[in-house]
Amino acid sequence: WNNQNNDWNQWNNQNQNNDWNQWNNQNQNNDWNQWNNQNQNYDWNNQNNNQQNAWNGWDNNNNWNQWDQNNNQQNQNNNQQNNNSSNASATMFDDFRTGSSRYFIASDGWENGDPFDCGWYKSQTAFRNGALELTIDKDNTGKYHYAGAEYRTTDFYGFGYYETSMKPIKNVGVNSSFFTYTGASDNNPWDEIDIEFLCKDTTKVQFNYYTNGQGNHEKIYDLGFDASQSYHTYGFDWQRDHITWYVDGKAVYTAYNNIPQTPGKIMMNVWPGRGVDEWLGHYDGKTPLTASYQWVKYNKQ
C-alpha cells in the first residue's frame, strides 16, 4: 500500500506539474503574444498615422497651395479675358497702359481752394510703369503749398456704368479719387458721384454723391485688403433712380435717395487736404506721393 501511495503521489505530482507548466506556459505565451500584438499594432498604427499626418501636411502645404495659386492665376486670367472682351464693346475705353490718353486731359494752372491744399499741374501727371501716374509733390514755384494732379474727360457722360483699375496713395492727410462731376464752371448744377480713398486707411473706400450741391451721403466700405498694394477695379452703375457701387466686379452698396441727374465729366485726382483733419487726418507733408490708374471705361445704359 505504501508503494501504491508513492506511485500515486509520484504520478500525481508529475501530471499536476505538467498540467500547471503547460497551462502556465500557454497562458504566459498567450499573454505575451496578446501584449506583443497589441503593442506592435499600436506602434504600427502610430507610425502609419504619423506617415499619414506627414503626407497630409505635405499635401496641404504643397499640393493644396499650388492648386490654390494655379486656381487664383486662372481666375485672374479669366477676369482679364472678360475685361478685355467687355472693354472692346465699351462706349468709352481709355487704356493708359498704352502710354497715352484718348479722352482725358490734365488740369493745369489753377487752384480750387478749400479743401484742396494744392495747385493743379500737368507736370504732376505721367505715363509710367504701365499706368497713368498722378503725383502730389511740393510746389517749387512757391505759388501754392503743394502740387496736385488731376485728369478729366473733355466730354460729358450720363447714366451708365463707370469703372477704373487703380492703386491709391497710402499716406495720412491725402485723397485719391475716381468720380463724375459737373457744376457752375459748366453752367450746370453741382452733381457728383464719388469713389474716394481717404489714404490714411487704404483698407477702406468711401462712396458719396451730390445732387444740386446736396451731399452727406457718405458710405465707408471695408475692402478686406489694402488697396494701395495692388490694382483692383472700382466702379459704379448710375441710373435714374439709384447708384450701385462695385469692387472687383461685385456690387457692394446701393443708394436710392435724391439721385443726381446731370451728365458730368469723368475725373481722377490726388490732393492733400487742408481744414479737413477730422476727415483725412493731418497731412504730414511727405512727398512725392503717387496714385496709379491703368484704364477707365464707361458703358452707356
Side-chain angles (χ1 to χ4, degrees):
W1 180 255
N2 288 332
N3 288 332
Q4 285 181 333
N5 283 338
N6 289 335
D7 291 340
W8 172 257
N9 290 334
Q10 183 179 1
W11 179 88
N12 196 28
N13 289 336
Q14 287 175 347
N15 282 278
Q16 282 181 329
N17 289 336
N18 289 335
D19 289 343
W20 172 256
N21 290 336
Q22 183 179 2
W23 180 88
N24 197 30
N25 288 338
Q26 287 176 346
N27 281 279
Q28 283 180 328
N29 288 338
N30 287 337
D31 289 343
W32 172 257
N33 289 335
Q34 184 178 2
W35 180 88
N36 197 30
N37 287 337
Q38 286 176 342
N39 283 277
Q40 283 181 327
N41 289 337
Y42 177 78
D43 290 342
W44 173 256
N45 288 335
N46 277 347
Q47 290 176 354
N48 199 33
N49 287 337
N50 288 336
Q51 286 179 328
Q52 186 65 34
N53 288 336
W55 174 258
N56 289 339
W58 179 89
D59 193 48
N60 287 337
N61 291 332
N62 292 277
N63 282 353
W64 179 259
N65 286 342
Q66 185 64 42
W67 179 88
D68 196 41
Q69 289 173 355
N70 291 340
N71 193 50
N72 285 340
Q73 185 61 50
Q74 185 62 42
N75 286 338
Q76 290 177 0
N77 291 339
N78 290 339
N79 289 338
Q80 187 63 47
Q81 290 174 356
N82 291 337
N83 281 336
N84 289 340
S85 176
S86 62
N87 292 341
S89 60
T91 306
M92 184 276 285
F93 178 66
D94 211 349
D95 191 349
F96 305 133
R97 295 168 296 186
T98 63
S100 62
S101 173
R102 298 173 58 192
Y103 300 96
F104 288 78
I105 60 172
S107 297
D108 192 29
W110 69 87
E111 201 251 10
N112 288 93
D114 292 338
F116 309 94
D117 194 12
C118 65
W120 307 112
Y121 292 94
K122 182 178 180 180
S123 59
Q124 298 307 118
T125 71
F127 294 98
R128 284 190 299 254
N129 303 314
L132 167 66
E133 295 187 343
L134 304 183
T135 300
I136 297 171
D137 212 335
K138 291 182 171 58
D139 185 355
N140 294 325
T141 69
K143 189 174 182 180
Y144 309 110
H145 290 126
Y146 298 98
E150 182 176 82
Y151 249 54
R152 60 173 65 198
T153 56
T154 55
D155 291 333
F156 293 80
Y157 299 85
F159 300 127
Y161 182 70
Y162 299 75
E163 188 175 63
T164 189
S165 173
M166 67 173 288
K167 286 192 299 185
I169 293 168
K170 184 182 181 71
N171 197 87
V172 65
V174 303
N175 186 302
S176 306
S177 66
F178 173 69
F179 60 108
T180 59
Y181 170 82
T182 191
S185 59
D186 303 314
N187 296 316
N188 283 326
W190 175 10
D191 280 9
E192 181 176 340
I193 303 172
D194 295 318
I195 295 174
E196 294 183 289
F197 286 93
L198 318 183
C199 301
K200 61 185 180 182
D201 184 359
T202 48
T203 66
K204 298 177 176 62
V205 63
Q206 177 179 281
F207 308 133
N208 194 18
Y209 62 98
Y210 291 81
T211 304
N212 198 21
Q214 181 181 346
N216 298 318
H217 301 108
E218 292 88 347
K219 167 66 176 178
I220 299 292
Y221 177 73
D222 193 339
L223 294 167
F225 56 82
D226 187 342
S228 69
Q229 298 304 302
S230 58
Y231 287 104
H232 292 267
T233 61
Y234 308 91
F236 53 87
D237 180 26
W238 174 25
Q239 298 301 321
R240 188 173 299 277
D241 59 353
H242 71 275
I243 307 166
T244 299
W245 283 265
Y246 289 76
V247 176
D248 288 332
K250 177 184 175 183
V252 296
Y253 178 68
T254 301
Y256 297 97
N257 297 322
N258 195 26
I259 301 302
Q261 302 295 308
T262 311
K265 295 179 179 180
I266 307 172
M267 303 177 66
M268 304 92 74
N269 60 24
V270 296
W271 47 275
R274 67 184 178 206
V276 285
D277 287 3
E278 290 185 4
W279 181 46
L280 294 181
H282 183 71
Y283 181 43
D284 58 8
K286 182 180 179 181
T287 57
L289 300 170
T290 299
S292 302
Y293 300 77
Q294 289 184 309
W295 47 261
V296 169
K297 73 176 177 182
Y298 164 75
N299 273 316
K300 185 176 181 180
Q301 297 175 1

